[in-house]
Amino acid sequence: MSERGIFNSKIGYILAASASAVGLGNIWRFPTEAATHGGGTFLVVYILIVIFFGFILNMTEATIGRMTRKSAIDAYESINPKSRIIGILGTWVPVIILPYYCVIGGWITGYMFGPVVGADLADPTLFGDFISLPATALLAVVFLMVVAVIIYMGVTKGVERISVVFMPIFIILLIVLTVYVLMQPGMADGLNYYLFFDWSKLNMDTFVSALGQAFFSLSIAMGIMITYGSYMKKEENVSRSTVQIAVIDTVIAIIAGLLIVPLAHVITNGTMEGGAGLVFIVLPQVFTNMAGGPIVEVVFFIMLFIAAITSAISIMEAITSTMIDRFHMSRHKAVCVLMVPMVIACALVSLGYGPLDFVTVAGMNILDTMDFISNNILMPIVAFMTCMFIGHFLGSKKILDEIGYSDDHVMRKIYPVMMKYICPVMVFIIFIGGLKLI
Ligand code: PHE
């Protein structure tokens, strides 16, 4: 008999799922996307997409998990053996993401301790030099081990407990840091840049990037919500919990924008560039010039560390849970077995910035290649198949009944149309957008 975990409290599920959703995507991806796609205009488009698309898909996955009490592969298989392929593809996503997420987690860990050991984070050459050091592979492995210990402790004592403690700390740090930063001189311009409504940006490009962002941020199509849903108690309300998770994720992304955009604006003069360069190079330069710079730096990287580790926990939990279900292993054995390929993969991805930098696919290094395969190819395919399967084969009624909507609930009308037609079209747009075909 396999050991299935359970989230003991309602808040445990909500915080664990939010902790998965709130990650680097909220802190370094959302603010950049918003700032470069018409600020307030992007926010409006994004919120509409979360309500009509992200919410529906996120809730569907959690419901599949709660209905079957299984992780992705077994969940789909138990509904219909032919749909097993959706679970298999969906499980490959966390397997691919985990190593590179840990590599980024390792960089964050290094930067968190950097000021403590006297490193000058504001030196623009530091980041490039740092990530090319083979020793950073060790940091990635340390990060992976911390995640593994939490997963080893189990759903209730590990995942749930850590989320319940870390999420409030994260939110407090984010708010304190944002208020402090906004009190600094010269932030008004950047704030304006972030929150203005540039209606001329209401175009296809903004729509595609908001869709992609919502998709990534809500941890859709990677088996995570199915796994977490399977730990949810039957009496809990999936629909309400999903609304709460989507609200938490979106509000945190918007606050992160208030923190990041004005800061980046000061130094880049409006040429907002996102990604690792923003977090590891641009922001430390602004922090240095502030009163209490080193403290701000450390607090910022602690916050980032929490965001990264709680997302990594959900990624590893989805894989572990699948191993427990499929191979009838104990949790402890599953974690130990998983560590072997993951340590090797972390090292390879990390060395891709140093001794292995000659390994490229279409000009992308190992990390970017894995990111591309999981985010731009596998995730849209899994989400598309999910919509098609539920909308056209299984029938929406099964999902709606499991959620517990009353017969006259408005979702009874909206949901089937979304699953059959609108969501697949939106996912298809993300797919061709992600392949840079539009
Ligand atoms: N949703 C997370 C974010 O916004 C990213 C993530 C990816 C989480 C994969 C879990 C799994 O950063």
Side-chain angles (χ1 to χ4, degrees), residues 44-317:
V44 173
V45 176
Y46 182 80
I47 290 171
L48 289 175
I49 286 175
V50 168
I51 296 174
F52 289 105
F53 168 77
F55 165 72
I56 298 254
L57 280 184
N58 194 296
M59 180 171 70
T60 302
E61 294 197 348
T63 308
I64 292 175
R66 200 186 68 163
M67 186 163 84
T68 58
R69 305 235 140 262
K70 293 187 165 86
S71 51
I73 302 181
D74 287 63
Y76 277 107
E77 190 171 62
S78 70
I79 297 176
N80 182 336
K82 287 202 188 106
S83 67
R84 195 175 140 214
I85 182 70
I86 311 178
I88 296 178
L89 292 177
T91 302
W92 272 104
V93 178
V95 172
I96 296 173
I97 293 183
L98 185 61
Y100 79 74
Y101 220 81
C102 288
V103 169
I104 300 175
W107 298 344
I108 295 171
T109 312
Y111 267 61
M112 193 164 71
F113 290 108
V116 183
V117 295
D120 176 13
L121 304 191
D123 173 358
T125 60
L126 179 77
F127 183 60
D129 294 344
F130 171 66
I131 62 174
S132 63
L133 291 176
T136 34
L138 283 180
L139 285 173
V141 173
V142 169
F143 186 89
L144 173 71
M145 282 184 172
V146 176
V147 177
V149 168
I150 296 162
I151 300 299
Y152 192 88
M153 291 192 301
V155 177
T156 319
K157 293 210 183 102
V159 181
E160 180 170 359
R161 196 159 26 153
I162 288 289
S163 310
V164 169
V165 174
F166 271 16
M167 273 311 274
I169 297 180
F170 170 84
I171 293 172
I172 292 169
L173 290 182
L174 176 67
I175 293 176
V176 169
L177 213 55
T178 307
V179 171
Y180 183 71
V181 160
L182 289 179
M183 279 167 15
Q184 304 293 315
M187 291 296 146
D189 267 2
L191 207 54
N192 234 353
Y193 176 71
Y194 175 46
L195 293 176
F196 68 105
F197 279 80
D198 181 355
W199 293 112
S200 72
K201 290 270 171 69
L202 193 58
N203 53 30
M204 194 61 182
D205 187 33
T206 299
F207 179 73
V208 172
S209 57
L211 257 181
Q213 174 62 24
F215 198 71
F216 181 76
S217 195
L218 287 171
S219 306
I220 291 168
M222 46 184 107
I224 292 177
M225 290 315 299
I226 299 185
T227 308
Y228 277 18
S230 77
Y231 302 147
M232 202 196 292
K233 287 186 179 159
K234 278 282 178 207
E235 60 271 22
E236 260 145 44
N237 184 325
V238 200
S239 164
R240 196 180 310 139
S241 308
T242 310
V243 172
Q244 286 160 343
I245 294 160
V247 169
I248 293 175
D249 187 54
T250 307
V251 170
I252 287 181
I254 295 173
I255 299 178
L258 293 174
L259 167 69
I260 306 282
V261 182
L263 275 182
H265 192 74
V266 169
I267 195 152
T268 59
N269 250 326
T271 52
M272 187 81 190
E273 196 198 304
L278 169 71
V279 169
F280 292 103
I281 303 172
V282 174
L283 294 184
Q285 289 177 25
V286 208
F287 291 144
T288 330
N289 298 325
M290 285 181 183
I295 299 175
V296 179
E297 265 168 5
V298 173
V299 172
F300 177 77
F301 283 105
I302 292 178
M303 186 187 79
L304 214 56
F305 178 82
I306 298 179
I309 200 121
T310 50
S311 290
I313 289 171
S314 70
I315 305 174
M316 189 161 187
E317 178 58 31

Side-chain angles (χ1 to χ4, degrees), residues 2-21:
S2 61
E3 321 154 18
R4 278 219 81 69
I6 190 140
F7 286 127
N8 252 335
S9 58
K10 179 169 178 326
I11 192 77
Y13 169 72
I14 293 170
L15 290 182
S18 316
S20 166

